[in-house]
Each structure stands twice: as C-alpha cells, then as structure tokens.
Amino acid sequence: MDVVRELISLVSQTPRTPVLIQGESGTGKELVANAIHAQSQRQQKPLIKINCSAIPEALLESEFFGHEQGAFTGAKESKPGLIELAHGGTVFLDEISEMKPVLQPKLLRVLETHTLRRVGGKRDIKVDVRVIASTNKSLAQSVEHGEFRKDLYYRIKVMVIELPPLRERKEDIPILNEYFIKRLRREIGKEIMGVTPQVLDLLLAYVWPGNVRELIHALE
C-alpha cells in the first residue's frame, strides 16, 4: 500500500495521464480514483463516475457522449454527455471490462484526439479530461478473448495501479479495524470502543473474499 500511495502521488502531478486501477472487488479502487483527483490540479473541477455495467445498452452512447435535439425519438433538446460534463476534471470508468464493444472505439477517439461528437451531432467538441479506469478482471485476458480492444487497452494502461487483496496485507487489518470502528461510532451513535483480542484474532484468520468492503460490513 506504500507503493500504491507513491503511485497516486506521482500520477496526480501529471494532468492527463490515463490510469488503470486493477484489483478484486472491495479493495478500494474508487478510493484510489478519488485520491488521484483530489491531489491533482483538476481537484476544483468535476469528478464524474460512470459504472460501465450499469447503463442500459439503448442509452449507452447518449449517456457517455450526449445527443443533439431530434437525434432520436424522445430527444426533445440537446444534452451533454457525462464525459463532456467532466470537462476540466476527471472521468472514472468503473468496471471498464464491461464496456460494450460499440463504445470502445469512441472512447479511444476521445483519448487520442481529446474530442467527442454527440449522437446526431455534426461537429467535434473539445474535451479536457483525465480518464481513470478500474477493473476487477484481467483486461489482458479480455483482449486475448476478443472482448476488449487491444488498442484501447494499451491507451488506458499508461499508469497501472495494482491493489492487493486484504488477505495479502493482513497487517493492515488492525489499523483498518480501528479506523472503521471510529467512523461507525460516529455514524451509528454507539459508544463501541473496539474489539476483544479474540475477535481481532478471528479477523486476522479470515481470508476476506470481499476484501475491505466485507470487513466494513462485518464491523457494522
């Protein structure tokens, strides 16, 4: 985690370098994205978070890139997309491995030309954003299986941050335990001061398949 912190500090000093955060579910990939944005020159601008698996396929292109009035049935007015709304700031693409193939070349174009075109639009719009992506899968394997574009993969993995699972950094469990109990004490309003040594031994012995998120839920 010291290495992770150093990488966050390093990449925060560059204004546009794409970042790929890899790690199992619950390891804190979104927190890393938050930290990069908060330490960068873009901190006063928007941090727009997009879950690539949560947007209905029919709305994908419009949500990402926006649309012009009359571009499709129901498009009564022009609307900027999420990437355009992040202008000057950061776009966090959560679970990028789930991005539909139809969007991948369009995202590649944004990364290469720093422009986008709305659905139904006839002009290119300049956008200044840093793209941070996360995945809990091996993107390299997705490329091998033909599920993810190779050129996009190499474009977003300029800086890679690997988040280790909690079972590989158990020395962090007592620190995380103390931190989250303090936070839960404020949120729940109960005077819980800590756990017994026996409970801490159980926390250290468990493998935590859900990682830090599972630890938080267990303590709650």
Side-chain angles (χ1 to χ4, degrees):
M1 293 307 291
D2 286 335
V3 173
V4 169
R5 278 194 292 271
E6 287 175 12
L7 291 174
I8 289 170
S9 178
L10 180 67
V11 79
S12 296
Q13 306 312 309
T14 66
R16 194 174 265 168
T17 304
V19 183
L20 178 62
I21 307 166
Q22 299 186 140
E24 294 179 9
S25 181
T27 49
K29 296 185 290 294
E30 186 175 339
L31 291 177
V32 171
N34 291 345
I36 292 169
H37 179 75
Q39 293 180 35
S40 75
Q41 297 172 354
R42 298 178 181 271
Q43 60 183 255
Q44 301 301 324
K45 298 293 184 178
L47 168 58
I48 301 289
K49 300 177 181 180
I50 308 173
N51 187 321
C52 294
S53 64
I55 301 173
E57 190 162 358
L59 299 175
L60 276 175
E61 197 170 349
S62 174
E63 284 294 306
F64 271 80
F65 303 105
H67 61 256
E68 298 292 356
Q69 183 178 5
F72 50 84
T73 304
K76 296 179 180 177
E77 58 185 9
S78 297
K79 176 189 170 187
L82 293 171
I83 294 178
E84 193 176 337
L85 290 172
H87 180 69
T90 305
V91 175
F92 175 52
L93 300 175
D94 194 15
E95 302 308 344
I96 195 169
S97 57
E98 304 301 316
M99 178 175 277
K100 298 292 186 286
V102 68
L103 280 186
Q104 293 180 25
K106 297 178 185 295
L107 176 61
L108 179 64
R109 184 170 182 268
V110 172
L111 287 165
E112 290 183 337
T113 68
H114 312 295
T115 65
L116 59 80
R117 186 172 294 187
R118 293 178 181 176
V119 177
K122 295 180 179 178
R123 65 184 181 90
D124 289 339
I125 298 169
K126 292 288 288 183
V127 284
D128 172 25
V129 296
R130 184 212 293 273
V131 173
I132 301 175
S134 78
T135 178
N136 60 11
K137 295 180 179 178
S138 168
L139 265 191
Q141 286 186 4
S142 297
V143 170
E144 284 180 18
H145 298 154
E147 298 163 354
F148 200 84
R149 289 179 65 109
K150 183 185 289 187
D151 48 5
L152 178 57
Y153 171 59
Y154 285 114
R155 196 68 188 78
I156 62 173
K157 70 182 287 285
V158 178
M159 169 70 87
V160 179
I161 297 178
E162 296 276 356
L163 280 182
L166 190 55
R167 64 183 173 275
E168 291 180 8
R169 51 185 179 105
K170 288 198 170 184
E171 65 275 12
D172 288 355
I173 289 176
I175 303 164
L176 291 168
N177 170 70
E178 187 176 333
Y179 170 77
F180 288 125
I181 284 179
K182 283 181 182 176
R183 195 176 83 177
L184 288 165
R185 191 161 64 226
R186 292 194 304 270
E187 291 176 0
I188 298 173
K190 291 196 173 187
E191 286 301 314
I192 300 163
M193 302 314 295
V195 299
T196 64
Q198 293 88 345
V199 169
L200 185 57
D201 287 343
L202 289 171
L203 296 180
L204 289 166
Y206 185 55
V207 295
W208 301 107
N211 292 295
V212 180
R213 186 182 294 126
E214 186 182 7
L215 173 63
I216 297 169
H217 293 166
L219 292 170
E220 186 174 350

